[in-house]
Amino acid sequence: MSTGYTVVVPHERWPSNAAMQASLDARGYPVALVGGAPDAPFAVGSRGLELRLDGRSLTLVGASAAKVGAAAFARDETNDVLAGMGAAFRARDGDWHFGVGLGSEPREWRAAFLVMAALVQDFGGYGYETQTESHGDNAWAAALIEDAEQFRLQAAATPAAVPQPDLRLADPGGWTQEKTAGVVCVALGGAGLWVSLSTGNLLISAIGVMMVAMGVAVFFIRRKIA
């Protein structure tokens, strides 16, 4: 289950990629946007919002950014949601909506909170979240920053996954079923060759050779461990 956040930004103040990065840098938020021309509007790609947090790659797959034009605005429920929360703010035709759905990964929460805080603090955004009905501008952004620090501490306290050795090609050693099958194949193949020498039957001879070869291959196979 994910929690959804939205920040509405006036269309005339929606930043370029360069302006967004400058905001993050000026505030000391360790988020670096990835991709996109500097002068192009800040945007979310088809894979999500790709960035680096503390120098490590991260993609907010649940992120989106869209300018809500006249046709979409007529059907948009943002203002109904805000009114239901008691917010005085209202979105306008043409405003940009940045949204993100967050799950259980602390690094994703931290990165998303820092991005949303910058949109509010430097570009006149108004944010809200429907589950707790939290909403606001600068005070709301300040709460995001406090929570982002808690997510940083939580991520730091989570032990990194320890790589496990790949044992699929390991040889268990000793006598195995494969070796038994190999011995049987060699024995049957040898018997076939002996019969072919006695009878002159080339078909039996060919089958005997194949059985011996198969037995040798099976005997020396490296057994896979599930």
mmCIF file of all heavy atoms in Angstrom, residues 22-68:
data_model
loop_
_atom_site.group_PDB
_atom_site.id
_atom_site.type_symbol
_atom_site.label_atom_id
_atom_site.label_comp_id
_atom_site.label_asym_id
_atom_site.label_seq_id
_atom_site.Cartn_x
_atom_site.Cartn_y
_atom_site.Cartn_z
ATOM 1 N N ALA A 22 19.223 24.033 -8.906
ATOM 2 C CA ALA A 22 19.804 25.145 -8.151
ATOM 3 C C ALA A 22 19.124 25.290 -6.793
ATOM 4 O O ALA A 22 19.778 25.585 -5.785
ATOM 5 C CB ALA A 22 19.682 26.439 -8.954
ATOM 6 N N SER A 23 17.809 25.089 -6.755
ATOM 7 C CA SER A 23 17.072 25.163 -5.491
ATOM 8 C C SER A 23 17.535 24.078 -4.528
ATOM 9 O O SER A 23 17.793 24.342 -3.346
ATOM 10 C CB SER A 23 15.573 25.024 -5.756
ATOM 11 O OG SER A 23 14.855 24.829 -4.552
ATOM 12 N N LEU A 24 17.643 22.855 -5.035
ATOM 13 C CA LEU A 24 18.081 21.739 -4.191
ATOM 14 C C LEU A 24 19.488 21.984 -3.652
ATOM 15 O O LEU A 24 19.771 21.746 -2.470
ATOM 16 C CB LEU A 24 18.037 20.437 -4.995
ATOM 17 C CG LEU A 24 16.649 19.960 -5.439
ATOM 18 C CD1 LEU A 24 16.771 18.859 -6.495
ATOM 19 C CD2 LEU A 24 15.845 19.456 -4.249
ATOM 20 N N ASP A 25 20.369 22.484 -4.527
ATOM 21 C CA ASP A 25 21.752 22.726 -4.117
ATOM 22 C C ASP A 25 21.833 23.850 -3.087
ATOM 23 O O ASP A 25 22.569 23.749 -2.089
ATOM 24 C CB ASP A 25 22.605 23.084 -5.338
ATOM 25 C CG ASP A 25 22.774 21.912 -6.296
ATOM 26 O OD1 ASP A 25 22.509 20.763 -5.886
ATOM 27 O OD2 ASP A 25 23.154 22.153 -7.460
ATOM 28 N N ALA A 26 21.087 24.928 -3.331
ATOM 29 C CA ALA A 26 21.155 26.083 -2.435
ATOM 30 C C ALA A 26 20.670 25.733 -1.030
ATOM 31 O O ALA A 26 21.160 26.280 -0.040
ATOM 32 C CB ALA A 26 20.327 27.230 -3.007
ATOM 33 N N ARG A 27 19.738 24.823 -0.938
ATOM 34 C CA ARG A 27 19.193 24.442 0.365
ATOM 35 C C ARG A 27 19.949 23.277 1.004
ATOM 36 O O ARG A 27 19.600 22.837 2.098
ATOM 37 C CB ARG A 27 17.706 24.111 0.235
ATOM 38 C CG ARG A 27 16.866 25.347 -0.087
ATOM 39 C CD ARG A 27 15.379 25.080 -0.050
ATOM 40 N NE ARG A 27 14.635 26.330 -0.219
ATOM 41 C CZ ARG A 27 14.346 27.174 0.756
ATOM 42 N NH1 ARG A 27 14.748 26.903 1.996
ATOM 43 N NH2 ARG A 27 13.675 28.286 0.526
ATOM 44 N N GLY A 28 20.959 22.796 0.305
ATOM 45 C CA GLY A 28 21.764 21.720 0.869
ATOM 46 C C GLY A 28 21.095 20.369 0.841
ATOM 47 O O GLY A 28 21.485 19.469 1.596
ATOM 48 N N TYR A 29 20.097 20.204 -0.029
ATOM 49 C CA TYR A 29 19.432 18.912 -0.143
ATOM 50 C C TYR A 29 20.275 18.021 -1.061
ATOM 51 O O TYR A 29 20.533 18.408 -2.213
ATOM 52 C CB TYR A 29 18.026 19.063 -0.717
ATOM 53 C CG TYR A 29 17.105 19.959 0.097
ATOM 54 C CD1 TYR A 29 15.974 20.534 -0.485
ATOM 55 C CD2 TYR A 29 17.360 20.225 1.436
ATOM 56 C CE1 TYR A 29 15.121 21.343 0.246
ATOM 57 C CE2 TYR A 29 16.514 21.040 2.177
ATOM 58 C CZ TYR A 29 15.398 21.602 1.576
ATOM 59 O OH TYR A 29 14.558 22.414 2.303
ATOM 60 N N PRO A 30 20.704 16.858 -0.602
ATOM 61 C CA PRO A 30 21.633 16.016 -1.382
ATOM 62 C C PRO A 30 20.945 15.231 -2.498
ATOM 63 O O PRO A 30 21.070 14.011 -2.594
ATOM 64 C CB PRO A 30 22.218 15.088 -0.319
ATOM 65 C CG PRO A 30 21.105 14.918 0.664
ATOM 66 C CD PRO A 30 20.415 16.266 0.721
ATOM 67 N N VAL A 31 20.207 15.945 -3.343
ATOM 68 C CA VAL A 31 19.476 15.332 -4.447
ATOM 69 C C VAL A 31 20.004 15.912 -5.755
ATOM 70 O O VAL A 31 20.066 17.132 -5.913
ATOM 71 C CB VAL A 31 17.961 15.600 -4.341
ATOM 72 C CG1 VAL A 31 17.233 15.032 -5.558
ATOM 73 C CG2 VAL A 31 17.401 15.000 -3.055
ATOM 74 N N ALA A 32 20.387 15.036 -6.678
ATOM 75 C CA ALA A 32 20.848 15.463 -7.998
ATOM 76 C C ALA A 32 19.927 14.858 -9.048
ATOM 77 O O ALA A 32 19.757 13.635 -9.105
ATOM 78 C CB ALA A 32 22.288 15.015 -8.239
ATOM 79 N N LEU A 33 19.316 15.713 -9.853
ATOM 80 C CA LEU A 33 18.436 15.232 -10.914
ATOM 81 C C LEU A 33 19.266 14.576 -12.008
ATOM 82 O O LEU A 33 20.393 14.989 -12.279
ATOM 83 C CB LEU A 33 17.625 16.391 -11.492
ATOM 84 C CG LEU A 33 16.794 17.196 -10.484
ATOM 85 C CD1 LEU A 33 16.092 18.351 -11.196
ATOM 86 C CD2 LEU A 33 15.779 16.304 -9.779
ATOM 87 N N VAL A 34 18.701 13.574 -12.654
ATOM 88 C CA VAL A 34 19.402 12.842 -13.710
ATOM 89 C C VAL A 34 18.637 13.002 -15.017
ATOM 90 O O VAL A 34 17.428 12.748 -15.074
ATOM 91 C CB VAL A 34 19.524 11.347 -13.360
ATOM 92 C CG1 VAL A 34 20.146 10.572 -14.520
ATOM 93 C CG2 VAL A 34 20.342 11.160 -12.094
ATOM 94 N N GLY A 35 19.349 13.424 -16.066
ATOM 95 C CA GLY A 35 18.730 13.549 -17.378
ATOM 96 C C GLY A 35 17.954 14.846 -17.526
ATOM 97 O O GLY A 35 17.688 15.565 -16.562
ATOM 98 N N GLY A 36 17.584 15.144 -18.767
ATOM 99 C CA GLY A 36 16.815 16.353 -19.044
ATOM 100 C C GLY A 36 17.707 17.542 -19.331
ATOM 101 O O GLY A 36 18.702 17.772 -18.640
ATOM 102 N N ALA A 37 17.346 18.306 -20.351
ATOM 103 C CA ALA A 37 18.105 19.507 -20.695
ATOM 104 C C ALA A 37 17.935 20.550 -19.599
ATOM 105 O O ALA A 37 16.849 20.689 -19.029
ATOM 106 C CB ALA A 37 17.627 20.063 -22.033
ATOM 107 N N PRO A 38 18.984 21.293 -19.284
ATOM 108 C CA PRO A 38 18.898 22.282 -18.195
ATOM 109 C C PRO A 38 17.765 23.289 -18.367
ATOM 110 O O PRO A 38 17.116 23.667 -17.386
ATOM 111 C CB PRO A 38 20.269 22.964 -18.244
ATOM 112 C CG PRO A 38 21.176 21.944 -18.843
ATOM 113 C CD PRO A 38 20.343 21.213 -19.852
ATOM 114 N N ASP A 39 17.522 23.735 -19.614
ATOM 115 C CA ASP A 39 16.502 24.760 -19.841
ATOM 116 C C ASP A 39 15.096 24.190 -20.004
ATOM 117 O O ASP A 39 14.126 24.949 -20.072
ATOM 118 C CB ASP A 39 16.855 25.577 -21.086
ATOM 119 C CG ASP A 39 18.127 26.399 -20.882
ATOM 120 O OD1 ASP A 39 18.454 26.696 -19.713
ATOM 121 O OD2 ASP A 39 18.791 26.725 -21.883
ATOM 122 N N ALA A 40 14.978 22.867 -20.070
ATOM 123 C CA ALA A 40 13.660 22.244 -20.230
ATOM 124 C C ALA A 40 12.908 22.274 -18.904
ATOM 125 O O ALA A 40 13.516 22.299 -17.831
ATOM 126 C CB ALA A 40 13.818 20.809 -20.713
ATOM 127 N N PRO A 41 11.573 22.292 -18.953
ATOM 128 C CA PRO A 41 10.799 22.260 -17.706
ATOM 129 C C PRO A 41 11.118 21.010 -16.888
ATOM 130 O O PRO A 41 11.341 19.932 -17.448
ATOM 131 C CB PRO A 41 9.348 22.243 -18.193
ATOM 132 C CG PRO A 41 9.393 22.830 -19.562
ATOM 133 C CD PRO A 41 10.701 22.393 -20.142
ATOM 134 N N PHE A 42 11.160 21.172 -15.593
ATOM 135 C CA PHE A 42 11.351 20.038 -14.691
ATOM 136 C C PHE A 42 10.289 18.990 -15.012
ATOM 137 O O PHE A 42 9.099 19.297 -15.057
ATOM 138 C CB PHE A 42 11.233 20.515 -13.247
ATOM 139 C CG PHE A 42 11.220 19.415 -12.220
ATOM 140 C CD1 PHE A 42 12.219 18.459 -12.186
ATOM 141 C CD2 PHE A 42 10.197 19.355 -11.280
ATOM 142 C CE1 PHE A 42 12.205 17.443 -11.236
ATOM 143 C CE2 PHE A 42 10.178 18.359 -10.321
ATOM 144 C CZ PHE A 42 11.182 17.396 -10.301
ATOM 145 N N ALA A 43 10.723 17.764 -15.259
ATOM 146 C CA ALA A 43 9.789 16.742 -15.729
ATOM 147 C C ALA A 43 10.129 15.387 -15.128
ATOM 148 O O ALA A 43 11.232 15.160 -14.624
ATOM 149 C CB ALA A 43 9.808 16.663 -17.257
ATOM 150 N N VAL A 44 9.152 14.496 -15.194
ATOM 151 C CA VAL A 44 9.317 13.117 -14.744
ATOM 152 C C VAL A 44 9.277 12.223 -15.972
ATOM 153 O O VAL A 44 8.362 12.326 -16.794
ATOM 154 C CB VAL A 44 8.207 12.714 -13.754
ATOM 155 C CG1 VAL A 44 8.326 11.245 -13.378
ATOM 156 C CG2 VAL A 44 8.268 13.590 -12.506
ATOM 157 N N GLY A 45 10.272 11.353 -16.117
ATOM 158 C CA GLY A 45 10.346 10.480 -17.275
ATOM 159 C C GLY A 45 9.380 9.312 -17.197
ATOM 160 O O GLY A 45 8.658 9.128 -16.207
ATOM 161 N N SER A 46 9.379 8.502 -18.247
ATOM 162 C CA SER A 46 8.464 7.365 -18.316
ATOM 163 C C SER A 46 8.760 6.318 -17.251
ATOM 164 O O SER A 46 7.881 5.560 -16.844
ATOM 165 C CB SER A 46 8.544 6.719 -19.707
ATOM 166 O OG SER A 46 9.874 6.296 -19.985
ATOM 167 N N ARG A 47 10.005 6.274 -16.786
ATOM 168 C CA ARG A 47 10.382 5.313 -15.744
ATOM 169 C C ARG A 47 10.183 5.870 -14.341
ATOM 170 O O ARG A 47 10.349 5.163 -13.353
ATOM 171 C CB ARG A 47 11.847 4.910 -15.912
ATOM 172 C CG ARG A 47 12.163 4.155 -17.189
ATOM 173 C CD ARG A 47 13.640 3.853 -17.283
ATOM 174 N NE ARG A 47 14.134 3.189 -16.085
ATOM 175 C CZ ARG A 47 15.420 3.030 -15.790
ATOM 176 N NH1 ARG A 47 16.339 3.524 -16.614
ATOM 177 N NH2 ARG A 47 15.784 2.396 -14.702
ATOM 178 N N GLY A 48 9.851 7.142 -14.244
ATOM 179 C CA GLY A 48 9.738 7.787 -12.945
ATOM 180 C C GLY A 48 10.741 8.923 -12.843
ATOM 181 O O GLY A 48 11.379 9.297 -13.825
ATOM 182 N N LEU A 49 10.876 9.486 -11.657
ATOM 183 C CA LEU A 49 11.834 10.574 -11.440
ATOM 184 C C LEU A 49 13.188 9.966 -11.091
ATOM 185 O O LEU A 49 13.378 9.415 -10.009
ATOM 186 C CB LEU A 49 11.356 11.493 -10.316
ATOM 187 C CG LEU A 49 12.264 12.690 -10.004
ATOM 188 C CD1 LEU A 49 12.450 13.564 -11.237
ATOM 189 C CD2 LEU A 49 11.699 13.502 -8.847
ATOM 190 N N GLU A 50 14.126 10.076 -12.034
ATOM 191 C CA GLU A 50 15.460 9.512 -11.832
ATOM 192 C C GLU A 50 16.364 10.569 -11.202
ATOM 193 O O GLU A 50 16.435 11.703 -11.674
ATOM 194 C CB GLU A 50 16.038 9.031 -13.160
ATOM 195 C CG GLU A 50 15.218 7.910 -13.797
ATOM 196 C CD GLU A 50 15.835 7.393 -15.072
ATOM 197 O OE1 GLU A 50 16.986 6.917 -15.016
ATOM 198 O OE2 GLU A 50 15.172 7.469 -16.122
ATOM 199 N N LEU A 51 17.056 10.171 -10.151
ATOM 200 C CA LEU A 51 17.915 11.103 -9.435
ATOM 201 C C LEU A 51 19.004 10.340 -8.696
ATOM 202 O O LEU A 51 19.080 9.111 -8.760
ATOM 203 C CB LEU A 51 17.071 11.941 -8.457
ATOM 204 C CG LEU A 51 16.083 11.187 -7.539
ATOM 205 C CD1 LEU A 51 16.778 10.628 -6.303
ATOM 206 C CD2 LEU A 51 14.946 12.099 -7.107
ATOM 207 N N ARG A 52 19.839 11.098 -8.015
ATOM 208 C CA ARG A 52 20.835 10.519 -7.113
ATOM 209 C C ARG A 52 20.636 11.149 -5.744
ATOM 210 O O ARG A 52 20.532 12.372 -5.626
ATOM 211 C CB ARG A 52 22.257 10.762 -7.615
ATOM 212 C CG ARG A 52 22.625 9.956 -8.853
ATOM 213 C CD ARG A 52 24.125 10.024 -9.152
ATOM 214 N NE ARG A 52 24.548 11.387 -9.423
ATOM 215 C CZ ARG A 52 24.483 11.959 -10.620
ATOM 216 N NH1 ARG A 52 24.003 11.296 -11.651
ATOM 217 N NH2 ARG A 52 24.895 13.204 -10.789
ATOM 218 N N LEU A 53 20.587 10.310 -4.734
ATOM 219 C CA LEU A 53 20.455 10.760 -3.354
ATOM 220 C C LEU A 53 21.729 10.372 -2.621
ATOM 221 O O LEU A 53 22.078 9.193 -2.566
ATOM 222 C CB LEU A 53 19.239 10.106 -2.689
ATOM 223 C CG LEU A 53 19.014 10.450 -1.213
ATOM 224 C CD1 LEU A 53 18.677 11.929 -1.053
ATOM 225 C CD2 LEU A 53 17.906 9.581 -0.617
ATOM 226 N N ASP A 54 22.442 11.374 -2.111
ATOM 227 C CA ASP A 54 23.745 11.125 -1.481
ATOM 228 C C ASP A 54 24.683 10.406 -2.443
ATOM 229 O O ASP A 54 25.486 9.563 -2.044
ATOM 230 C CB ASP A 54 23.589 10.296 -0.201
ATOM 231 C CG ASP A 54 22.858 11.054 0.894
ATOM 232 O OD1 ASP A 54 23.081 12.275 1.018
ATOM 233 O OD2 ASP A 54 22.052 10.432 1.615
ATOM 234 N N GLY A 55 24.559 10.726 -3.729
ATOM 235 C CA GLY A 55 25.441 10.134 -4.727
ATOM 236 C C GLY A 55 25.031 8.762 -5.213
ATOM 237 O O GLY A 55 25.684 8.198 -6.095
ATOM 238 N N ARG A 56 23.959 8.208 -4.686
ATOM 239 C CA ARG A 56 23.502 6.870 -5.077
ATOM 240 C C ARG A 56 22.239 6.975 -5.924
ATOM 241 O O ARG A 56 21.323 7.734 -5.610
ATOM 242 C CB ARG A 56 23.225 6.016 -3.835
ATOM 243 C CG ARG A 56 24.455 5.726 -2.994
ATOM 244 C CD ARG A 56 24.068 5.091 -1.671
ATOM 245 N NE ARG A 56 23.260 3.896 -1.859
ATOM 246 C CZ ARG A 56 22.542 3.331 -0.890
ATOM 247 N NH1 ARG A 56 22.519 3.874 0.323
ATOM 248 N NH2 ARG A 56 21.844 2.234 -1.136
ATOM 249 N N SER A 57 22.195 6.189 -6.992
ATOM 250 C CA SER A 57 21.066 6.239 -7.920
ATOM 251 C C SER A 57 19.772 5.811 -7.240
ATOM 252 O O SER A 57 19.754 4.910 -6.398
ATOM 253 C CB SER A 57 21.331 5.334 -9.124
ATOM 254 O OG SER A 57 22.433 5.798 -9.864
ATOM 255 N N LEU A 58 18.692 6.474 -7.639
ATOM 256 C CA LEU A 58 17.374 6.169 -7.085
ATOM 257 C C LEU A 58 16.330 6.637 -8.089
ATOM 258 O O LEU A 58 16.482 7.689 -8.709
ATOM 259 C CB LEU A 58 17.180 6.895 -5.749
ATOM 260 C CG LEU A 58 15.837 6.697 -5.034
ATOM 261 C CD1 LEU A 58 15.687 5.256 -4.571
ATOM 262 C CD2 LEU A 58 15.723 7.641 -3.839
ATOM 263 N N THR A 59 15.285 5.850 -8.272
ATOM 264 C CA THR A 59 14.189 6.228 -9.156
ATOM 265 C C THR A 59 12.879 6.208 -8.382
ATOM 266 O O THR A 59 12.520 5.186 -7.791
ATOM 267 C CB THR A 59 14.076 5.268 -10.359
ATOM 268 O OG1 THR A 59 15.295 5.293 -11.105
ATOM 269 C CG2 THR A 59 12.932 5.688 -11.277
ATOM 270 N N LEU A 60 12.187 7.337 -8.377
ATOM 271 C CA LEU A 60 10.867 7.407 -7.756
ATOM 272 C C LEU A 60 9.851 6.974 -8.809
ATOM 273 O O LEU A 60 9.339 7.788 -9.586
ATOM 274 C CB LEU A 60 10.583 8.825 -7.265
ATOM 275 C CG LEU A 60 11.544 9.373 -6.200
ATOM 276 C CD1 LEU A 60 11.173 10.803 -5.827
ATOM 277 C CD2 LEU A 60 11.538 8.486 -4.963
ATOM 278 N N VAL A 61 9.580 5.667 -8.855
ATOM 279 C CA VAL A 61 8.737 5.127 -9.922
ATOM 280 C C VAL A 61 7.290 5.594 -9.799
ATOM 281 O O VAL A 61 6.536 5.566 -10.769
ATOM 282 C CB VAL A 61 8.794 3.586 -9.933
ATOM 283 C CG1 VAL A 61 10.189 3.105 -10.270
ATOM 284 C CG2 VAL A 61 8.362 3.010 -8.588
ATOM 285 N N GLY A 62 6.895 6.023 -8.614
ATOM 286 C CA GLY A 62 5.519 6.470 -8.425
ATOM 287 C C GLY A 62 5.328 7.955 -8.623
ATOM 288 O O GLY A 62 4.275 8.500 -8.269
ATOM 289 N N ALA A 63 6.334 8.632 -9.202
ATOM 290 C CA ALA A 63 6.256 10.087 -9.370
ATOM 291 C C ALA A 63 5.636 10.461 -10.708
ATOM 292 O O ALA A 63 5.704 9.714 -11.683
ATOM 293 C CB ALA A 63 7.643 10.704 -9.245
ATOM 294 N N SER A 64 5.043 11.649 -10.746
ATOM 295 C CA SER A 64 4.476 12.188 -11.984
ATOM 296 C C SER A 64 4.477 13.707 -11.896
ATOM 297 O O SER A 64 4.475 14.280 -10.804
ATOM 298 C CB SER A 64 3.046 11.682 -12.207
ATOM 299 O OG SER A 64 2.191 12.139 -11.169
ATOM 300 N N ALA A 65 4.494 14.344 -13.048
ATOM 301 C CA ALA A 65 4.410 15.800 -13.112
ATOM 302 C C ALA A 65 3.638 16.163 -14.369
ATOM 303 O O ALA A 65 3.987 15.713 -15.460
ATOM 304 C CB ALA A 65 5.799 16.432 -13.132
ATOM 305 N N ALA A 66 2.592 16.950 -14.212
ATOM 306 C CA ALA A 66 1.761 17.279 -15.368
ATOM 307 C C ALA A 66 1.159 18.668 -15.215
ATOM 308 O O ALA A 66 0.797 19.087 -14.108
ATOM 309 C CB ALA A 66 0.647 16.249 -15.527
ATOM 310 N N LYS A 67 1.071 19.350 -16.347
ATOM 311 C CA LYS A 67 0.377 20.633 -16.390
ATOM 312 C C LYS A 67 -1.092 20.353 -16.685
ATOM 313 O O LYS A 67 -1.427 19.741 -17.701
ATOM 314 C CB LYS A 67 0.980 21.523 -17.479
ATOM 315 C CG LYS A 67 0.377 22.916 -17.536
ATOM 316 C CD LYS A 67 1.086 23.764 -18.594
ATOM 317 C CE LYS A 67 0.533 25.183 -18.614
ATOM 318 N NZ LYS A 67 1.230 26.034 -19.617
ATOM 319 N N VAL A 68 -1.969 20.764 -15.781
ATOM 320 C CA VAL A 68 -3.393 20.466 -15.922
ATOM 321 C C VAL A 68 -4.055 21.587 -16.715
ATOM 322 O O VAL A 68 -4.314 22.674 -16.193
ATOM 323 C CB VAL A 68 -4.061 20.294 -14.541
ATOM 324 C CG1 VAL A 68 -5.541 19.977 -14.707
ATOM 325 C CG2 VAL A 68 -3.367 19.186 -13.762
#
